[in-house]
Amino acid sequence: MSTGILYIVPTPIGNLDDMTYRAVEVLKSVDLILAEDTRTSSVLLKHYNISKPLQSHHKFNEHQKVELVKNRIMAGENVALISDAGTPGISDPGFLLVRTCVAEGIQVQTLPGATALIPALVDSGFPCDKFCFEGFLPQKKGRQSLLASLAQEHRTMIFYESPFRLVKTLTQMSEAFGTERECAVAREISKKFEQVVRGTLSDLITHFTANEPKGEIVIIVKGL
């Protein structure tokens, strides 16, 4: 019996029409779909008339499930991994399963598709030829030391953040990078109320203090 394939399938970050034809076909063809949140993913699967066995696979259970999933693929099943939004493995579960399958010689196919960081980077107007993606900053320990270590970074920097911590994070960035460092905040990418606010860190702190941020947030900071 031949070994199956692990498919890493990006899902829309907002607009359901951003799903690719190939992604839909793969999800319709596999034996099992692993989802970060089965309730969220059920909406997407129903929208595209995809009816396949669905199991949860998230940061709280991936260590317990990775061997079981690997064994199913080794037995010949094709499995797809999706997250709530975007590409699995990018600030979402996926790395551990991919690493395990690669170590076993299992074929991994990652489909191209949605991820918030690239459209936010391009929309910012900052250099796109070289950049560093930092994802979510540590919530407590190591947060300010990491920002301090990036103060002399020449590449454009990209961060994910919760709307509830946005003003705090921009304030900490202004302390590490200087109040006049240019920045852009993209929110609700591909959704109805998509917005990009550009200016200095000082400008953005003032703006989002007066206008409570909502939705998914990407912060783009210009390098030196």
Side-chain angles (χ1 to χ4, degrees):
M1 181 181 294
S2 60
T3 301
I5 298 173
L6 172 65
Y7 292 96
I8 306 300
V9 182
T11 54
I13 57 176
N15 192 323
L16 291 182
D17 290 340
D18 289 337
M19 194 74 169
T20 68
Y21 289 116
R22 183 183 174 203
V24 173
E25 290 305 310
V26 166
L27 293 180
K28 286 183 175 181
S29 71
V30 296
D31 300 293
L32 173 67
I33 299 173
L34 302 175
E36 185 179 4
D37 186 325
T38 55
R39 294 166 299 179
T40 300
S41 296
S42 291
V43 176
L44 175 71
L45 299 180
K46 183 178 180 180
H47 181 79
Y48 285 102
N49 297 313
I50 298 169
S51 179
K52 289 289 180 174
L54 184 65
Q55 291 185 8
S56 65
H57 188 88
H58 46 71
K59 64 181 180 180
F60 300 109
N61 71 3
E62 62 178 340
H63 284 84
Q64 289 75 37
K65 296 193 67 172
V66 68
E67 288 296 318
L68 295 174
V69 174
K70 180 202 73 175
N71 290 339
R72 291 185 66 161
I73 300 173
M74 293 287 287
E77 293 189 24
N78 292 324
V79 175
L81 175 66
I82 60 177
S83 63
D84 289 349
T87 301
I90 307 298
S91 295
D92 279 322
F95 163 71
L96 180 61
L97 181 57
V98 170
R99 183 180 67 179
T100 301
C101 288
V102 168
E104 291 289 342
I106 293 171
Q107 183 179 359
V108 178
Q109 289 190 15
T110 300
L111 278 61
T115 184
L117 68 99
I118 298 301
L121 170 64
V122 176
D123 277 350
S124 72
F126 300 150
C128 303
D129 56 334
K130 295 180 181 180
F131 61 90
C132 61
F133 174 62
E134 294 294 331
F136 287 97
L137 290 167
Q139 291 191 26
K140 295 180 181 179
K141 186 177 180 181
R143 185 182 181 89
Q144 291 177 307
S145 61
L146 175 57
L147 288 174
S149 73
L150 293 170
Q152 302 302 313
E153 176 61 64
H154 286 266
R155 296 169 295 177
T156 302
M157 295 172 281
I158 308 169
F159 305 85
Y160 287 166
E161 190 50 281
S162 158
F164 308 108
R165 290 192 298 269
L166 177 60
V167 172
K168 175 184 176 182
T169 297
L170 293 173
T171 301
Q172 291 175 330
M173 287 179 172
S174 72
E175 294 168 354
F177 305 150
T179 58
E180 296 306 303
R181 182 72 71 94
E182 291 183 69
C183 179
V185 171
R187 67 180 196 87
E188 295 292 83
I189 294 172
S190 84
K191 298 179 184 177
K192 182 178 180 180
F193 297 106
E194 179 175 358
Q195 178 189 45
V196 180
V197 182
R198 304 173 182 86
T200 65
L201 283 165
S202 178
D203 294 334
L204 294 180
I205 291 168
T206 300
H207 175 83
F208 286 109
T209 299
N211 301 275
E212 182 181 359
K214 296 180 180 179
E216 303 296 324
I217 302 288
V218 184
I219 304 172
I220 310 95
V221 181
K222 188 176 182 181
L224 288 178

